[in-house]
Amino acid sequence: MSSATANPTSAARRRAVLTDPSYQAFVILRTAFTVAPILFGLDKFANLLVDWPTYLAPWINDIVPGSAQGAMYAVGVIEIVAGIAVAVAPRFGGWLVAGWLAGIIVNLLTIPDYYDIALRDFGLLLAAVALARLAQHYHGKR
């Protein structure tokens, strides 16, 4: 006859993992890099937070087909996909977000007066790399 209660050893292990500061950091980063890209991606269609096309460097606007707003629609889709990738496969999604942020940084460094945002995004890139590394560590340990 099987018991409905959990094995005390596995429950203690689970509790130990949940109280591990590095695992908590992994969960925080995974949550943030799931939610933020999805929300910012959705806002590319609404422009509620900011007028997103102003963040597109003129040289990029010149090479992409269509308007700057049309480019932001594509950016929004990519960001939503990146957020979903972090939720489903953080080992891959973390690197995807880091790469995407690198592209955003290059874009911002070519627009005068956006260097502070590029610096902020560099910090986010480092956090995305930390997420990918932590995901590698915790893969299969849950």
Side-chain angles (χ1 to χ4, degrees):
M1 181 184 261
S2 66
S3 171
T5 60
N7 179 348
T9 306
S10 67
R13 254 192 317 240
R14 194 168 333 140
R15 197 171 15 261
V17 168
L18 292 176
T19 59
D20 175 22
S22 62
Y23 183 75
Q24 292 171 354
F26 166 67
V27 171
I28 291 166
L29 289 169
R30 185 177 188 179
T31 303
F33 282 111
T34 295
V35 174
I38 292 172
L39 290 179
F40 287 127
L42 289 171
D43 193 55
K44 298 299 189 287
F45 295 90
N47 289 315
L48 295 174
L49 298 173
V50 70
D51 183 24
W52 290 108
T54 61
Y55 288 87
L56 186 64
W59 68 272
I60 295 176
N61 192 30
D62 291 342
I63 61 175
V64 297
S67 66
Q69 183 58 54
M72 286 298 120
Y73 294 149
V75 166
V77 169
I78 292 167
E79 289 176 345
I80 292 166
V81 168
I84 293 168
V86 169
V88 174
R91 287 188 311 159
F92 168 75
W95 290 113
L96 176 64
V97 169
W100 184 248
L101 284 163
I104 291 171
I105 292 165
V106 169
N107 170 71
L108 291 171
L109 288 175
T110 62
I111 306 172
D113 299 326
Y114 286 88
Y115 305 126
D116 57 334
I117 300 170
L119 180 60
R120 179 213 55 202
D121 285 352
F122 180 70
L124 290 171
L125 181 149
L126 295 177
V129 169
L131 167 64
R133 297 300 298 138
L134 286 167
Q136 179 69 35
H137 176 73
Y138 287 108
H139 179 72
K141 287 191 176 186
R142 286 183 281 155

